[in-house]
C-alpha cells in the first residue's frame, strides 16, 4: 500500500524571492531558497490529491509533470491558497470533461463561490471551463483509499483545516500549513503520525503563524517519525538554517518528494 507526496510549494504568501528585495548571490544560487506558495500533491494507488491551489499552481504542476487529479482539498480561503483554482480547467479535461471534487469548509466554500462565481453553478459549463463539484467538509471523509480527518487550527481571525491522512487506520500524514498553534486536543489525536508537515513561518513570533521555536515545540509534542517545516519566508537560508535543526526535523523545499509507505 503506497503513500507519497510532493511539496509543490513551501514559501510564504509572497513567495521567495520577494518582489523588490535584494539577495546575496549565494542565496539565490541555491534552488532550495526559491519557494513558491505552499501546497502539496498526495498520491496513493487509488488517489491523486492536491491540497490548495496557489497562484503558482500551473507552474508547480508543470514542473512536477502532473496532470490528473481525483480531488482538491482546501485548508482555507486566503489568496495564496486558492488563486490557482481556475487552472483546474485542464484537470477537468483530463478527467474526461467531468467536474472535479472540491473539498472545503462551509466558510471557505462560500469564499470560493464568491471569487469563482462563474464556475460554481449548476451548469452546464462551456467546454474547457473549470467545473467544480463542491463538497462541504464538516467531518472526516474518504477519497480513494484515504481517510481524511480535518482539525480546526487558529490562524489569526480565521480558522484553517489541518488535515490528517490515514490508510487502513494508519496515520500517514498530518498537514498543518497555516496556524498560530496546534491545540492540545489536536496534538493528542495526531501523536505518532508517520510524517508531520508544520507551519514555521520565520524566526521571530508572528500573529497568525507559528515561528520556528513554536514549530519545534509542536514537532516534539507530536513526535512524528519525521517532521518537515513549510510556509517559509526569506529569513531562512536553507542550508545554513537546516544545519541548526535537531535530528528528525527539516525544512522542506519545492519539489521535495517524500515516500511514506
Amino acid at each position: 500500500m503506497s503513500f507519497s507526496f510532493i511539496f509543490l510549494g513551501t514559501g510564504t504568501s509572497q513567495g521567495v524571492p520577494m518582489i523588490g528585495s535584494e539577495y546575496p548571490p549565494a542565496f539565490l544560487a541555491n534552488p532550495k531558497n526559491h519557494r513558491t506558495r505552499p501546497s502539496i500533491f498526495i498520491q496513493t494507488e487509488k488517489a491523486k490529491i492536491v491540497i490548495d491551489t496557489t497562484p503558482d499552481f500551473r507552474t508547480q504542476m508543470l514542473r512536477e509533470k502532473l496532470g490528473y487529479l481525483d480531488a482538491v482539498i482546501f485548508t482555507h480561503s486566503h489568496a495564496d491558497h486558492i488563486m490557482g483554482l481556475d487552472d483546474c480547467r485542464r484537470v477537468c479535461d483530463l478527467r474526461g470533461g467531468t467536474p472535479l471534487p472540491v473539498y472545503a469548509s462551509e466558510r471557505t466554500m462560500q469564499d470560493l463561490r464568491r471569487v469563482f462565481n462563474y464556475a460554481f453553478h449548476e451548469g452546464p459549463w462551456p467546454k474547457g471551463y473549470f467545473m467544480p463539484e463542491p463538497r462541504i467538509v464538516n467531518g472526516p471523509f474518504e477519497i480513494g483509499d484515504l481517510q481524511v480527518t480535518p482539525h480546526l487550527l487558529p490562524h489569526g481571525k480565521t480558522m484553517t483545516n489541518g488535515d490528517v491522512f490515514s490508510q487502513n487506520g494508519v496515520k500517514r500524514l498530518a498537514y498543518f500549513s497555516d496556524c498560530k498553534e496546534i491545540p492540545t486536543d489536536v496534538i493528542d489525536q495526531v501523536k505518532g503520525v508517520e510524517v508531520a508537515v508544520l507551519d514555521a513561518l520565520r524566526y521571530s513570533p508572528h500573529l497568525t503563524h507559528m515561528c520556528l521555536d513554536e514549530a519545534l515545540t509542536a514537532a516534539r509534542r507530536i513526535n512524528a517519525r519525521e517532521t518537515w517545516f513549510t510556509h517559509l519566508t526569506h529569513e531562512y537560508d536553507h542550508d545554513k538554517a537546516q544545519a541548526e535543526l535537531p535530528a528528525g526535523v527539516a525544512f522542506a523545499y519545492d519539489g521535495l518528494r517524500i515516500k511514506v509507505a
Side-chain angles (χ1 to χ4, degrees), residues 21-249:
S21 293
E22 297 292 331
Y23 299 89
F27 181 95
L28 296 176
N30 187 346
K32 293 179 181 178
N33 286 331
H34 291 256
R35 306 176 181 117
T36 57
R37 271 59 75 93
S39 173
I40 62 170
F41 169 79
I42 297 171
Q43 182 168 0
T44 71
E45 294 171 356
K46 298 183 179 180
K48 294 181 178 181
I49 303 166
V50 160
I51 301 184
D52 294 333
T53 55
T54 78
D56 306 304
F57 176 71
R58 175 179 170 275
T59 302
Q60 293 167 340
M61 293 288 280
L62 289 171
R63 186 193 69 215
E64 301 302 327
K65 298 179 172 57
L66 302 174
Y68 185 93
L69 295 176
D70 291 296
V72 171
I73 301 173
F74 283 101
T75 59
H76 63 303
S77 59
H78 286 171
D80 54 323
H81 294 261
I82 71 169
M83 294 309 292
L85 183 56
D86 186 70
D87 285 324
C88 285
R89 61 174 59 196
R90 178 57 184 154
V91 176
C92 292
D93 287 342
L94 295 172
R95 291 172 52 84
T98 61
L100 175 66
V102 174
Y103 292 83
S105 68
E106 179 68 50
R107 179 173 180 175
T108 296
M109 194 69 76
Q110 289 176 357
D111 288 338
L112 293 174
R113 290 181 181 276
R114 174 177 54 81
V115 175
F116 302 99
N117 61 356
Y118 59 88
F120 281 84
H121 54 75
E122 298 303 318
W125 294 268
K127 180 177 173 55
Y129 275 50
F130 172 50
M131 298 179 288
E133 182 181 298
R135 300 189 181 184
I136 300 296
V137 172
N138 49 28
F141 57 97
E142 295 187 0
I143 302 175
D145 56 350
L146 293 177
Q147 301 81 48
V148 187
T149 303
H151 296 278
L152 287 176
L153 305 174
H155 184 44
K157 295 181 179 180
T158 190
M159 302 292 285
T160 67
N161 274 358
D163 294 309
V164 177
F165 296 83
S166 302
Q167 275 181 318
N168 285 351
V170 178
K171 291 176 287 191
R172 301 293 195 195
L173 170 67
Y175 186 75
F176 298 159
S177 69
D178 285 64
C179 55
K180 175 56 182 172
E181 65 173 328
I182 303 174
T184 298
D185 63 317
V186 176
I187 286 179
D188 289 341
Q189 293 178 64
V190 303
K191 277 183 178 177
V193 66
E194 293 186 315
V195 179
V197 176
L198 306 180
D199 182 355
L201 184 74
R202 65 189 191 189
Y203 288 109
S204 58
H206 187 271
L207 288 174
T208 64
H209 291 270
M210 289 194 293
C211 66
L212 180 58
D213 283 347
E214 291 165 334
L216 286 168
T217 298
R220 286 193 296 269
R221 296 177 67 193
I222 292 172
N223 194 30
R225 186 181 72 196
E226 58 185 274
T227 299
W228 296 92
F229 290 156
T230 192
H231 214 297
L232 311 172
T233 69
H234 62 182
E235 289 187 13
Y236 299 115
D237 189 335
H238 184 277
D239 293 351
K240 295 178 182 178
Q242 179 59 48
E244 299 173 349
L245 291 183
V249 180

